[in-house]
Amino acid sequence: MSERFTKGMARNIYYGGGMFFMLLFIGLTFDTVVAIPERENRDQLTAEVAHGKELWEKNNCVGCHSLLGEGAYFAPELGNVFPRRGGDNEEAFHAYFSAWMAAQPIPVEGRRKMPQFNLTAEETRALSQFLIWTSRIDTNDWPPNNEG
Ligand code: HEC
């Protein structure tokens, strides 16, 4: 066996390593694509949930909030606001959410403000349905902290 590190050895490491990680990448991609339908909660996607998502975008909630980690970090994460404030009870959450949206902005000095969006009752319900739906996506219990 040669003591020297030859060009041939370098080439084998390059191609062998490249091939190994390419196969690993393809395998993990395949695993993800297979797992997504079981995790994404697609069968619960109603027209009302879709309408809530439109309102979420139109009102730029994501400009201050994050949703499952995506978005801005000015205001609390909302991917888990349903278990946090509704305790897994849809009607309790809806009551909380309507009251919350109606009460903005809360006039407390030094507290970060959320704007008043003047949503209709129907729009508020659609947004709360969207947040409930989002919280049921299987994210491996992420985010780990329920508060925020
Ligand atoms: C300009 C920034 C901003 C925008 C835009 C915004 N929010 Fe907020 N939101 C906040 C802030 C700040 C808080 C925390 C306020 C507080 O604790 O008093 C908050 C809190 C909340 C809470 C309560 C969270 C909890 O843990 O109790 C909900 C629900 C919420 N926002 C929903 C929405 C929705 C839905 C939209 C879009 C229609 C939206 N927000 C848009 C700033 C924003």
Side-chain angles (χ1 to χ4, degrees):
M1 199 180 115
S2 163
E3 300 262 319
R4 286 181 57 221
F5 187 66
T6 62
K7 275 187 176 177
M9 289 157 83
R11 193 187 312 119
N12 287 346
I13 290 173
Y14 177 77
Y15 285 118
M19 187 59 76
F20 174 77
F21 283 107
M22 183 58 79
L23 287 174
L24 188 67
F25 176 69
I26 291 171
L28 288 173
T29 305
F30 182 74
D31 181 63
T32 303
V33 170
V34 168
I36 282 175
E38 297 160 19
R39 293 174 152 251
E40 67 179 358
N41 197 15
R42 181 188 301 201
D43 47 333
Q44 305 292 319
L45 230 178
T46 61
E48 196 174 32
V49 170
H51 184 43
K53 171 74 159 71
E54 276 165 22
L55 292 163
W56 171 265
E57 283 170 16
K58 202 175 118 205
N59 292 291
N60 194 26
C61 310
V62 86
C64 291
H65 290 276
S66 56
L67 194 65
L68 305 183
E70 292 285 330
Y73 286 76
F74 177 72
E77 159 72 41
L78 294 183
N80 54 2
V81 71
F82 170 52
R84 176 162 71 241
R85 302 290 176 230
D88 277 340
N89 177 326
E90 292 197 18
E91 283 317 308
F93 177 72
H94 183 64
Y96 151 79
F97 184 73
S98 312
W100 176 267
M101 295 308 279
Q104 303 311 311
I106 296 175
V108 175
E109 189 65 33
R111 196 167 166 153
R112 290 183 181 179
K113 299 280 180 298
M114 174 164 146
Q116 175 51 250
F117 290 97
N118 295 312
L119 302 175
T120 64
E122 178 250 330
E123 288 173 328
T124 307
R125 185 161 273 278
L127 258 172
S128 79
Q129 286 301 315
F130 169 64
L131 291 172
I132 291 170
W133 180 83
T134 307
S135 78
R136 290 182 175 148
I137 295 172
D138 180 356
T139 56
N140 278 342
D141 293 331
W142 196 93
N145 178 0
N146 201 23
E147 270 304 321

